[in-house]
Amino acid sequence: MRTKTKVFLALSILGAAAGITAVLFLRDVLTALWSGIIMGAGFGLFGFGVAKFAFSRWEEKDPEIMRINEVEINDERNVAIRRRAKAVSGDILQWLVMAGAWVTIIMGAKLWITLLLIGVFILKTAVELLFIAYYQRKM
């Protein structure tokens, strides 16, 4: 196992430990805000570490496929496809955020600001992926 892979494994263990500690032990010691921040950061670090660890292990086991994927990712056609998809989805995102702002103003709910923006971000990502698939068939 390479050093990079070990670092990602250590990050995932550290993140899980921080998240579990915040859930089980720190909620009585700290305020709910700080306990939530530590829990969110810990489990976020756990997810990041696990994903990067799995990708690094896959790269170690089959480096030839990783080289082929890297060449394909940097191919001019695929770069153009990603850029075009990001441009179109970015325009859509801009107007959805504006509509979301009006909805939150009318509703007057602070929680909806966060929830709506998260929903718009997820929608933007999905639309971008749809355009990538569309342009790959078209070009």
Side-chain angles (χ1 to χ4, degrees):
M1 205 181 305
R2 294 185 319 198
T3 305
K4 183 170 87 169
T5 308
K6 291 177 186 176
V7 168
F8 292 133
L9 181 61
L11 280 177
S12 64
I13 292 170
L14 179 69
I20 291 170
T21 302
V23 170
L24 298 179
F25 304 112
L26 294 180
R27 67 179 167 187
D28 296 330
V29 177
L30 298 175
T31 63
L33 174 69
W34 282 105
S35 179
I37 289 172
I38 294 171
M39 180 183 64
F43 287 128
L45 190 61
F46 171 73
F48 172 76
V50 166
K52 295 295 273 185
F53 173 75
F55 191 74
S56 295
R57 289 291 292 167
W58 183 46
E59 182 179 12
E60 287 175 4
K61 289 183 178 183
D62 205 349
E64 185 59 33
I65 290 177
M66 295 304 292
R67 279 192 283 276
I68 291 169
N69 286 343
E70 189 170 335
V71 167
E72 188 174 315
I73 286 171
N74 295 326
D75 180 50
E76 285 181 34
R77 179 178 171 270
N78 289 333
V79 170
I81 289 168
R82 279 194 308 275
R83 286 181 182 164
R84 195 171 193 179
K86 285 181 181 181
V88 173
S89 64
D91 289 342
I92 293 170
L93 174 64
Q94 176 185 357
W95 292 108
L96 286 176
V97 169
M98 291 298 288
W102 281 104
V103 168
T104 57
I105 290 170
I106 291 169
M107 292 178 71
K110 291 183 182 181
L111 180 61
W112 283 101
I113 294 171
T114 304
L115 295 177
L116 189 62
L117 291 176
I118 290 171
V120 168
F121 177 78
I122 291 170
L123 181 63
K124 182 246 182 221
T125 304
V127 168
E128 183 178 335
L129 292 174
L130 287 173
F131 276 112
I132 287 174
Y134 171 75
Y135 287 129
Q136 280 180 337
R137 276 187 253 119
K138 185 177 176 182
M139 295 177 99

